[in-house]
Amino acid sequence: MSKKKLVFSGVQPTGNLHLGNYLGALKNFVSLQKEMDCIYCVVDLHAITVFQKPNDLRENVFETLASFIATGLNPDRSIIFNQSAVSGHAELAWILNCTSRIGWLNRMTQFKDKAGSDKEKASVGLYIYPNLMAADILLYKATHVPVGADQKQHLELSRDIAQKFNSDFNCKDFFPLPEPLISKNVARVMSLRDGKKKMSKSEESDYSRINLKDSADDIDKKIKKAKSDSEPIPDNLKNLEKKPEALNLINIYSEISKISLDKVLNEMSGKDYSFLKKNLTELLVKEITPVGKEIKKLLNDKSHLEQILKKGKEKANIIAEENLKNIREKVGLI
Ligand code: AQP
């Protein structure tokens, strides 16, 4: 087995990227590209597991790509492309559909959340989404996958699928078992309106999230309106944990300021949340608005973005085809 470390991760082009994607995934993507070979993918085939208007989907692929680049991903260092451009993802997903077990998929909590109460009406794609995610990772024999905590279960499934494939086809270590890389404090950035739900692109209220393209004014309004607590900031984590919305704001503050949670509580205990919100707004405006400006600038030059996707697709396809050749052989496909 090749011992070389290789990172793979993807983001769905389902709308504006938000602070959860930024802190939970993108920032990690950027720091990893300094240490390892990385492949970052705009996962459009995942997006269509829930109906997308074709024009919106096309726009969102560019939007997601622009967010990658604006955050600091470098297409000369990392392979950056859109998933549907490399057909090996779909081919391997089919093979892995035959390795994965129905009982394993039945345990996936994201399907239960996304399908809602009427599961019969959910697409088959949404149900087998984790098998496609396994294919995305294993197609490149990636060893490390930076994700938010919401994807941990899917990643564990990818490991189970890899292990079963290696055992079924008697090829120990053929697929490496991919390791999740999950940021600690911000593994799950929560909605600004409900501290028990994760911040999400598809949440109806725009006040539930900070978008990367929000203006300073938007950020100010959203943080002012964010749910917190009527009591002053406590001096210990145990008390803070009882108030999920307040904990979320302090977690975000701690992550962006790079001051530990304990130290933030030490400095702010006894103060009102309006004090925290003012400081948090300043930090967010400084961190997020330059990214938003860069996204808008990049979106004005679509041909440049198309070039990045084309170059990325060519590089990804070389690795994918080489690995697929061996996979087909293992399975017995001629
Ligand atoms: N709230 C979050 N906190 C931390 N990490 C998050 N991620 C998403 N939301 C949070 C991480 O961002 C990466 C890309 O996610 P995605 O867009 O592909 O899919 P998602 O997790 O389904 O994100 P959304 O915003 O909730 O999209 P919709 O609403 O379209 O389903 C992943 O690594 C994810 O963990």
Side-chain angles (χ1 to χ4, degrees):
M1 182 183 61
S2 149
K3 293 269 186 301
K4 198 164 170 245
K5 288 180 182 168
L6 178 65
V7 168
F8 178 93
S9 198
V11 175
Q12 293 186 74
T14 41
N16 289 325
L17 268 62
H18 51 72
L19 189 65
N21 300 129
Y22 179 73
L23 295 178
L26 292 181
K27 277 193 92 168
N28 230 347
F29 291 4
V30 175
S31 55
L32 284 166
Q33 82 178 344
K34 293 178 195 133
E35 310 158 21
M36 296 187 210
D37 290 337
C38 300
I39 303 178
Y40 295 120
C41 188
V42 180
V43 287
D44 45 9
L45 295 176
H46 281 284
I48 60 169
T49 56
V50 173
F51 181 76
Q52 307 291 319
K53 290 186 187 145
N55 283 338
D56 290 354
L57 180 63
R58 269 186 284 272
E59 279 310 305
N60 284 332
V61 168
F62 289 119
E63 176 92 33
T64 307
L65 173 65
S67 304
F68 280 5
I69 310 293
T71 321
L73 290 187
N74 178 351
D76 293 325
R77 263 197 106 97
S78 300
I79 299 180
I80 302 174
F81 69 107
N82 62 310
Q83 184 187 27
S84 62
V86 176
S87 60
H89 289 256
E91 183 178 342
L92 182 56
W94 180 257
I95 293 173
L96 298 184
N97 281 340
C98 303
T99 303
S100 182
R101 304 287 94 179
I102 290 174
W104 297 352
L105 289 178
N106 283 344
R107 287 199 284 277
M108 297 296 113
T109 55
Q110 194 182 75
F111 174 73
K112 291 176 192 156
D113 293 344
K114 288 205 171 177
S117 52
D118 198 354
K119 294 186 181 38
E120 300 282 310
K121 291 221 168 103
S123 74
V124 175
L126 188 65
Y127 182 64
I128 57 174
Y129 173 119
N131 295 344
L132 176 59
M133 179 164 157
D136 298 336
I137 299 164
L138 300 179
L139 182 59
Y140 302 96
K141 298 194 173 186
T143 56
H144 292 81
V145 185
V147 280
D150 57 318
Q151 293 298 332
K152 188 163 179 268
Q153 196 186 30
H154 289 166
L155 204 62
E156 278 158 8
L157 184 91
S158 299
R159 291 168 62 90
D160 290 342
I161 291 175
Q163 211 154 20
K164 182 160 167 37
F165 184 101
N166 292 348
S167 147
D168 285 353
F169 296 103
N170 201 14
C171 49
K172 193 169 174 280
D173 296 337
F174 178 74
F175 283 131
L177 306 189
E179 298 279 346
L181 297 173
I182 299 179
S183 331
K184 245 176 143 197
N185 278 353
V186 288
R188 202 182 288 267
V189 177
M190 309 312 277
S191 156
L192 300 178
R193 312 294 293 156
D194 178 350
K196 292 194 196 73
K197 279 165 105 178
K198 74 163 187 153
M199 188 177 281
S200 164
K201 296 184 216 108
S202 50
E203 169 64 42
E204 220 171 290
S205 167
D206 200 46
Y207 276 91
S208 67
R209 62 183 161 260
I210 302 289
N211 300 310
L212 297 185
K213 286 202 306 190
D214 278 347
S215 66
D217 202 36
D218 295 329
I219 294 174
D220 184 45
K221 277 195 211 136
K222 288 180 179 181
I223 296 296
K224 272 199 183 118
K225 272 202 149 204
K227 257 189 165 180
S228 54
D229 192 36
S230 52
E231 305 210 334
I233 299 175
D235 61 4
N236 65 78
L237 198 57
K238 209 161 160 234
N239 285 345
L240 183 65
E241 276 166 354
K242 294 177 195 150
K243 325 267 177 163
E245 288 85 11
L247 172 66
N248 186 40
L249 291 178
I250 293 187
N251 261 335
I252 298 171
Y253 180 83
S254 158
E255 180 64 20
I256 300 187
S257 64
K258 302 202 166 55
I259 303 174
S260 72
L261 267 184
D262 284 341
K263 212 162 164 212
V264 174
L265 289 182
N266 251 337
E267 283 170 10
M268 294 200 179
S269 73
K271 294 198 163 72
D272 286 342
Y273 279 92
S274 56
F275 178 79
L276 166 77
K277 285 183 171 187
K278 187 172 163 291
N279 285 286
L280 177 59
T281 301
E282 275 171 21
L283 280 186
L284 283 171
V285 167
K286 208 165 148 217
E287 176 106 8
I288 297 296
T289 54
V291 177
K293 277 187 197 138
E294 189 59 25
I295 295 174
K296 290 176 196 160
K297 200 173 114 196
L298 285 159
L299 285 171
N300 280 331
D301 188 355
K302 290 265 170 65
S303 63
H304 173 57
L305 295 176
E306 277 164 355
Q307 271 308 107
I308 294 175
L309 289 179
K310 185 169 174 282
K311 210 167 94 183
K313 163 193 149 171
E314 284 161 7
K315 289 195 221 163
N317 214 21
I318 293 172
I319 308 174
E321 275 309 314
E322 177 64 28
N323 286 337
L324 263 178
K325 206 172 84 196
N326 296 328
I327 294 165
R328 288 185 199 114
E329 204 176 283
K330 294 274 174 244
V331 177
L333 300 171
I334 297 171

